[in-house]
Amino acid sequence: MATNKKNIKELPIITTTHGVGQKRILLNNQETSTPLTQIAVTRLKAGEAAAEHLHPTMEEFLLFQKGDASMTVGKEQITCDSGDFISIPANTLHSLKAITDIEIITIGCAIH
């Protein structure tokens, strides 16, 4: 596989699959032979929320870059801010609400 250099500022901004927030996809599963599904930088404005959902075939990892958010992972309530890393196992209900404007690096990894 060839080296693939991208600049985050030059990537298109798209709406997330949850219908809230925006993201720029750094890498998707068509660009790699690994179980990676996606690496993206996701932004939500204060008050936006991704409703409770789960991913049956994917683990999800979130690295908070900016802002404050509230998450529910399973039955656990979590407050997140810059520098926090959250690991969400496949098939785990979770939701996210931006308290302030937030920026998150999101990583999805397929399970087999």
Side-chain angles (χ1 to χ4, degrees), residues 2-3 6 8 11 17 21 29 32 36 39-40 42-44 46 50 58-59 61 69 88 96-97 105 111:
T3 301
K6 297 177 184 178
I8 189 73
L11 296 174
T17 55
N29 60 346
T32 181
L36 181 78
I39 298 175
T42 304
R43 292 184 177 101
L44 274 71
M58 181 184 84
E59 290 182 301
F61 308 96
I88 304 167
L96 169 68
K97 181 173 182 179
I105 296 174
I111 60 168

PDB file of all heavy atoms in Angstrom, residues 2-3 6 8 11 17 21 29 32 36 39-40 42-44 46 50 58-59 61 69 88 96-97 105 111:
ATOM      1  N   ALA A   2       0.555   2.197  -0.827  1.00  0.00           N
ATOM      2  CA  ALA A   2       1.326   3.432  -0.950  1.00  0.00           C
ATOM      3  C   ALA A   2       1.030   4.369   0.212  1.00  0.00           C
ATOM      4  O   ALA A   2      -0.022   4.303   0.828  1.00  0.00           O
ATOM      5  CB  ALA A   2       0.983   4.126  -2.267  1.00  0.00           C
ATOM      6  N   THR A   3       1.972   5.249   0.490  1.00  0.00           N
ATOM      7  CA  THR A   3       1.763   6.285   1.492  1.00  0.00           C
ATOM      8  C   THR A   3       0.647   7.200   1.021  1.00  0.00           C
ATOM      9  O   THR A   3       0.561   7.531  -0.152  1.00  0.00           O
ATOM     10  CB  THR A   3       3.064   7.097   1.697  1.00  0.00           C
ATOM     11  OG1 THR A   3       4.083   6.208   2.104  1.00  0.00           O
ATOM     12  CG2 THR A   3       2.881   8.189   2.724  1.00  0.00           C
ATOM     13  N   LYS A   6      -2.673  13.318   3.616  1.00  0.00           N
ATOM     14  CA  LYS A   6      -3.844  14.180   3.490  1.00  0.00           C
ATOM     15  C   LYS A   6      -3.690  15.340   4.465  1.00  0.00           C
ATOM     16  O   LYS A   6      -3.058  15.197   5.497  1.00  0.00           O
ATOM     17  CB  LYS A   6      -5.118  13.427   3.844  1.00  0.00           C
ATOM     18  CG  LYS A   6      -5.425  12.269   2.945  1.00  0.00           C
ATOM     19  CD  LYS A   6      -6.666  11.541   3.405  1.00  0.00           C
ATOM     20  CE  LYS A   6      -6.913  10.313   2.564  1.00  0.00           C
ATOM     21  NZ  LYS A   6      -8.083   9.560   3.016  1.00  0.00           N
ATOM     22  N   ILE A   8      -6.074  17.710   6.780  1.00  0.00           N
ATOM     23  CA  ILE A   8      -7.425  17.765   7.337  1.00  0.00           C
ATOM     24  C   ILE A   8      -8.203  18.969   6.816  1.00  0.00           C
ATOM     25  O   ILE A   8      -9.409  18.894   6.568  1.00  0.00           O
ATOM     26  CB  ILE A   8      -7.398  17.721   8.884  1.00  0.00           C
ATOM     27  CG1 ILE A   8      -8.798  17.544   9.464  1.00  0.00           C
ATOM     28  CG2 ILE A   8      -6.760  18.953   9.469  1.00  0.00           C
ATOM     29  CD1 ILE A   8      -9.362  16.187   9.290  1.00  0.00           C
ATOM     30  N   LEU A  11      -9.940  18.282   3.344  1.00  0.00           N
ATOM     31  CA  LEU A  11     -10.922  17.209   3.191  1.00  0.00           C
ATOM     32  C   LEU A  11     -12.335  17.770   3.225  1.00  0.00           C
ATOM     33  O   LEU A  11     -12.616  18.733   3.933  1.00  0.00           O
ATOM     34  CB  LEU A  11     -10.749  16.181   4.316  1.00  0.00           C
ATOM     35  CG  LEU A  11      -9.412  15.438   4.325  1.00  0.00           C
ATOM     36  CD1 LEU A  11      -9.298  14.566   5.562  1.00  0.00           C
ATOM     37  CD2 LEU A  11      -9.248  14.608   3.066  1.00  0.00           C
ATOM     38  N   THR A  17     -23.330  10.146  10.156  1.00  0.00           N
ATOM     39  CA  THR A  17     -24.425   9.211   9.897  1.00  0.00           C
ATOM     40  C   THR A  17     -25.519   9.336  10.951  1.00  0.00           C
ATOM     41  O   THR A  17     -26.617   8.834  10.755  1.00  0.00           O
ATOM     42  CB  THR A  17     -23.915   7.755   9.871  1.00  0.00           C
ATOM     43  OG1 THR A  17     -23.229   7.482  11.081  1.00  0.00           O
ATOM     44  CG2 THR A  17     -22.991   7.529   8.694  1.00  0.00           C
ATOM     45  N   GLY A  21     -23.894  17.074  13.720  1.00  0.00           N
ATOM     46  CA  GLY A  21     -22.460  17.308  13.648  1.00  0.00           C
ATOM     47  C   GLY A  21     -21.919  17.105  12.241  1.00  0.00           C
ATOM     48  O   GLY A  21     -22.633  16.730  11.315  1.00  0.00           O
ATOM     49  N   ASN A  29     -12.554   2.393   5.156  1.00  0.00           N
ATOM     50  CA  ASN A  29     -12.207   0.989   4.959  1.00  0.00           C
ATOM     51  C   ASN A  29     -11.839   0.650   3.515  1.00  0.00           C
ATOM     52  O   ASN A  29     -11.199  -0.371   3.279  1.00  0.00           O
ATOM     53  CB  ASN A  29     -13.328   0.072   5.469  1.00  0.00           C
ATOM     54  CG  ASN A  29     -14.643   0.296   4.767  1.00  0.00           C
ATOM     55  OD1 ASN A  29     -14.838   1.294   4.078  1.00  0.00           O
ATOM     56  ND2 ASN A  29     -15.560  -0.629   4.950  1.00  0.00           N
ATOM     57  N   THR A  32      -7.758   0.867   3.162  1.00  0.00           N
ATOM     58  CA  THR A  32      -6.855   0.071   3.983  1.00  0.00           C
ATOM     59  C   THR A  32      -7.245  -1.397   3.933  1.00  0.00           C
ATOM     60  O   THR A  32      -8.406  -1.725   3.679  1.00  0.00           O
ATOM     61  CB  THR A  32      -6.842   0.584   5.450  1.00  0.00           C
ATOM     62  OG1 THR A  32      -5.939  -0.201   6.205  1.00  0.00           O
ATOM     63  CG2 THR A  32      -8.209   0.531   6.077  1.00  0.00           C
ATOM     64  N   LEU A  36      -9.960  -1.632  10.055  1.00  0.00           N
ATOM     65  CA  LEU A  36     -10.379  -0.262  10.305  1.00  0.00           C
ATOM     66  C   LEU A  36     -11.602   0.073   9.456  1.00  0.00           C
ATOM     67  O   LEU A  36     -11.650  -0.252   8.276  1.00  0.00           O
ATOM     68  CB  LEU A  36      -9.230   0.685   9.947  1.00  0.00           C
ATOM     69  CG  LEU A  36      -9.494   2.155  10.171  1.00  0.00           C
ATOM     70  CD1 LEU A  36      -9.367   2.466  11.649  1.00  0.00           C
ATOM     71  CD2 LEU A  36      -8.529   2.982   9.374  1.00  0.00           C
ATOM     72  N   ILE A  39     -11.398   6.553  10.271  1.00  0.00           N
ATOM     73  CA  ILE A  39     -10.795   7.528  11.184  1.00  0.00           C
ATOM     74  C   ILE A  39     -11.302   8.881  10.699  1.00  0.00           C
ATOM     75  O   ILE A  39     -11.182   9.196   9.516  1.00  0.00           O
ATOM     76  CB  ILE A  39      -9.257   7.506  11.159  1.00  0.00           C
ATOM     77  CG1 ILE A  39      -8.721   6.147  11.600  1.00  0.00           C
ATOM     78  CG2 ILE A  39      -8.701   8.621  12.059  1.00  0.00           C
ATOM     79  CD1 ILE A  39      -7.208   6.021  11.489  1.00  0.00           C
ATOM     80  N   ALA A  40     -11.898   9.644  11.614  1.00  0.00           N
ATOM     81  CA  ALA A  40     -12.467  10.939  11.223  1.00  0.00           C
ATOM     82  C   ALA A  40     -12.276  11.951  12.337  1.00  0.00           C
ATOM     83  O   ALA A  40     -12.099  11.596  13.503  1.00  0.00           O
ATOM     84  CB  ALA A  40     -13.961  10.790  10.914  1.00  0.00           C
ATOM     85  N   THR A  42     -14.498  14.657  14.050  1.00  0.00           N
ATOM     86  CA  THR A  42     -15.921  14.952  14.148  1.00  0.00           C
ATOM     87  C   THR A  42     -16.134  16.179  15.026  1.00  0.00           C
ATOM     88  O   THR A  42     -15.503  16.305  16.069  1.00  0.00           O
ATOM     89  CB  THR A  42     -16.674  13.743  14.751  1.00  0.00           C
ATOM     90  OG1 THR A  42     -16.389  12.588  13.950  1.00  0.00           O
ATOM     91  CG2 THR A  42     -18.159  13.978  14.806  1.00  0.00           C
ATOM     92  N   ARG A  43     -17.033  17.047  14.590  1.00  0.00           N
ATOM     93  CA  ARG A  43     -17.355  18.254  15.358  1.00  0.00           C
ATOM     94  C   ARG A  43     -18.856  18.305  15.586  1.00  0.00           C
ATOM     95  O   ARG A  43     -19.635  18.103  14.655  1.00  0.00           O
ATOM     96  CB  ARG A  43     -16.899  19.497  14.604  1.00  0.00           C
ATOM     97  CG  ARG A  43     -15.402  19.616  14.512  1.00  0.00           C
ATOM     98  CD  ARG A  43     -14.991  20.912  13.840  1.00  0.00           C
ATOM     99  NE  ARG A  43     -13.557  21.035  13.823  1.00  0.00           N
ATOM    100  CZ  ARG A  43     -12.790  20.778  12.770  1.00  0.00           C
ATOM    101  NH1 ARG A  43     -13.325  20.416  11.634  1.00  0.00           N
ATOM    102  NH2 ARG A  43     -11.485  20.903  12.854  1.00  0.00           N
ATOM    103  N   LEU A  44     -19.240  18.594  16.814  1.00  0.00           N
ATOM    104  CA  LEU A  44     -20.634  18.855  17.157  1.00  0.00           C
ATOM    105  C   LEU A  44     -20.697  20.216  17.820  1.00  0.00           C
ATOM    106  O   LEU A  44     -19.788  20.590  18.566  1.00  0.00           O
ATOM    107  CB  LEU A  44     -21.182  17.803  18.121  1.00  0.00           C
ATOM    108  CG  LEU A  44     -21.749  16.515  17.532  1.00  0.00           C
ATOM    109  CD1 LEU A  44     -20.652  15.650  16.970  1.00  0.00           C
ATOM    110  CD2 LEU A  44     -22.521  15.765  18.582  1.00  0.00           C
ATOM    111  N   ALA A  46     -22.483  22.923  20.459  1.00  0.00           N
ATOM    112  CA  ALA A  46     -23.111  22.834  21.786  1.00  0.00           C
ATOM    113  C   ALA A  46     -24.588  22.503  21.636  1.00  0.00           C
ATOM    114  O   ALA A  46     -25.287  23.116  20.831  1.00  0.00           O
ATOM    115  CB  ALA A  46     -22.929  24.148  22.550  1.00  0.00           C
ATOM    116  N   ALA A  50     -25.915  12.829  19.564  1.00  0.00           N
ATOM    117  CA  ALA A  50     -26.103  11.573  18.837  1.00  0.00           C
ATOM    118  C   ALA A  50     -26.925  10.680  19.760  1.00  0.00           C
ATOM    119  O   ALA A  50     -26.496  10.351  20.868  1.00  0.00           O
ATOM    120  CB  ALA A  50     -24.763  10.928  18.511  1.00  0.00           C
ATOM    121  N   MET A  58     -18.672  -3.273  15.058  1.00  0.00           N
ATOM    122  CA  MET A  58     -17.569  -2.319  15.141  1.00  0.00           C
ATOM    123  C   MET A  58     -17.320  -1.870  16.571  1.00  0.00           C
ATOM    124  O   MET A  58     -18.249  -1.577  17.310  1.00  0.00           O
ATOM    125  CB  MET A  58     -17.911  -1.091  14.279  1.00  0.00           C
ATOM    126  CG  MET A  58     -16.835  -0.023  14.257  1.00  0.00           C
ATOM    127  SD  MET A  58     -17.340   1.452  13.330  1.00  0.00           S
ATOM    128  CE  MET A  58     -18.253   2.336  14.583  1.00  0.00           C
ATOM    129  N   GLU A  59     -16.043  -1.808  16.948  1.00  0.00           N
ATOM    130  CA  GLU A  59     -15.633  -1.126  18.178  1.00  0.00           C
ATOM    131  C   GLU A  59     -15.396   0.329  17.799  1.00  0.00           C
ATOM    132  O   GLU A  59     -14.971   0.627  16.687  1.00  0.00           O
ATOM    133  CB  GLU A  59     -14.343  -1.718  18.733  1.00  0.00           C
ATOM    134  CG  GLU A  59     -14.512  -3.099  19.299  1.00  0.00           C
ATOM    135  CD  GLU A  59     -13.207  -3.619  19.881  1.00  0.00           C
ATOM    136  OE1 GLU A  59     -12.220  -3.710  19.142  1.00  0.00           O
ATOM    137  OE2 GLU A  59     -13.204  -3.930  21.079  1.00  0.00           O
ATOM    138  N   PHE A  61     -13.714   4.148  19.090  1.00  0.00           N
ATOM    139  CA  PHE A  61     -12.781   4.809  19.985  1.00  0.00           C
ATOM    140  C   PHE A  61     -12.880   6.313  19.742  1.00  0.00           C
ATOM    141  O   PHE A  61     -12.898   6.759  18.603  1.00  0.00           O
ATOM    142  CB  PHE A  61     -11.352   4.324  19.723  1.00  0.00           C
ATOM    143  CG  PHE A  61     -11.232   2.833  19.750  1.00  0.00           C
ATOM    144  CD1 PHE A  61     -11.282   2.093  18.580  1.00  0.00           C
ATOM    145  CD2 PHE A  61     -11.103   2.158  20.955  1.00  0.00           C
ATOM    146  CE1 PHE A  61     -11.195   0.707  18.598  1.00  0.00           C
ATOM    147  CE2 PHE A  61     -11.012   0.769  20.992  1.00  0.00           C
ATOM    148  CZ  PHE A  61     -11.062   0.048  19.808  1.00  0.00           C
ATOM    149  N   ALA A  69     -18.322  17.306  26.820  1.00  0.00           N
ATOM    150  CA  ALA A  69     -19.440  16.486  26.373  1.00  0.00           C
ATOM    151  C   ALA A  69     -19.877  15.556  27.486  1.00  0.00           C
ATOM    152  O   ALA A  69     -19.141  15.299  28.440  1.00  0.00           O
ATOM    153  CB  ALA A  69     -19.040  15.674  25.145  1.00  0.00           C
ATOM    154  N   ILE A  88     -15.382   2.073  23.241  1.00  0.00           N
ATOM    155  CA  ILE A  88     -16.747   1.540  23.288  1.00  0.00           C
ATOM    156  C   ILE A  88     -16.761   0.179  22.589  1.00  0.00           C
ATOM    157  O   ILE A  88     -16.566   0.100  21.366  1.00  0.00           O
ATOM    158  CB  ILE A  88     -17.739   2.501  22.598  1.00  0.00           C
ATOM    159  CG1 ILE A  88     -17.659   3.889  23.238  1.00  0.00           C
ATOM    160  CG2 ILE A  88     -19.159   1.938  22.665  1.00  0.00           C
ATOM    161  CD1 ILE A  88     -18.355   4.966  22.455  1.00  0.00           C
ATOM    162  N   LEU A  96     -24.084  10.481  22.899  1.00  0.00           N
ATOM    163  CA  LEU A  96     -23.140  11.576  23.089  1.00  0.00           C
ATOM    164  C   LEU A  96     -23.887  12.893  22.983  1.00  0.00           C
ATOM    165  O   LEU A  96     -24.693  13.084  22.065  1.00  0.00           O
ATOM    166  CB  LEU A  96     -22.055  11.517  22.005  1.00  0.00           C
ATOM    167  CG  LEU A  96     -21.120  12.707  21.853  1.00  0.00           C
ATOM    168  CD1 LEU A  96     -20.204  12.823  23.061  1.00  0.00           C
ATOM    169  CD2 LEU A  96     -20.307  12.573  20.581  1.00  0.00           C
ATOM    170  N   LYS A  97     -23.625  13.815  23.910  1.00  0.00           N
ATOM    171  CA  LYS A  97     -24.202  15.158  23.829  1.00  0.00           C
ATOM    172  C   LYS A  97     -23.101  16.183  24.049  1.00  0.00           C
ATOM    173  O   LYS A  97     -22.347  16.113  25.026  1.00  0.00           O
ATOM    174  CB  LYS A  97     -25.298  15.365  24.875  1.00  0.00           C
ATOM    175  CG  LYS A  97     -25.909  16.750  24.769  1.00  0.00           C
ATOM    176  CD  LYS A  97     -27.091  16.956  25.656  1.00  0.00           C
ATOM    177  CE  LYS A  97     -27.643  18.356  25.415  1.00  0.00           C
ATOM    178  NZ  LYS A  97     -28.806  18.632  26.213  1.00  0.00           N
ATOM    179  N   ILE A 105     -11.576  13.007  17.634  1.00  0.00           N
ATOM    180  CA  ILE A 105     -11.049  12.059  16.653  1.00  0.00           C
ATOM    181  C   ILE A 105     -11.782  10.751  16.916  1.00  0.00           C
ATOM    182  O   ILE A 105     -11.744  10.232  18.036  1.00  0.00           O
ATOM    183  CB  ILE A 105      -9.527  11.881  16.783  1.00  0.00           C
ATOM    184  CG1 ILE A 105      -8.823  13.199  16.461  1.00  0.00           C
ATOM    185  CG2 ILE A 105      -9.042  10.760  15.867  1.00  0.00           C
ATOM    186  CD1 ILE A 105      -7.330  13.179  16.693  1.00  0.00           C
ATOM    187  N   ILE A 111     -15.060  -5.801  13.920  1.00  0.00           N
ATOM    188  CA  ILE A 111     -14.767  -7.051  14.622  1.00  0.00           C
ATOM    189  C   ILE A 111     -15.214  -8.195  13.724  1.00  0.00           C
ATOM    190  O   ILE A 111     -16.045  -8.031  12.843  1.00  0.00           O
ATOM    191  CB  ILE A 111     -15.481  -7.120  16.001  1.00  0.00           C
ATOM    192  CG1 ILE A 111     -16.996  -7.035  15.823  1.00  0.00           C
ATOM    193  CG2 ILE A 111     -14.983  -6.020  16.919  1.00  0.00           C
ATOM    194  CD1 ILE A 111     -17.765  -7.379  17.066  1.00  0.00           C
TER     195      ILE A 111
END
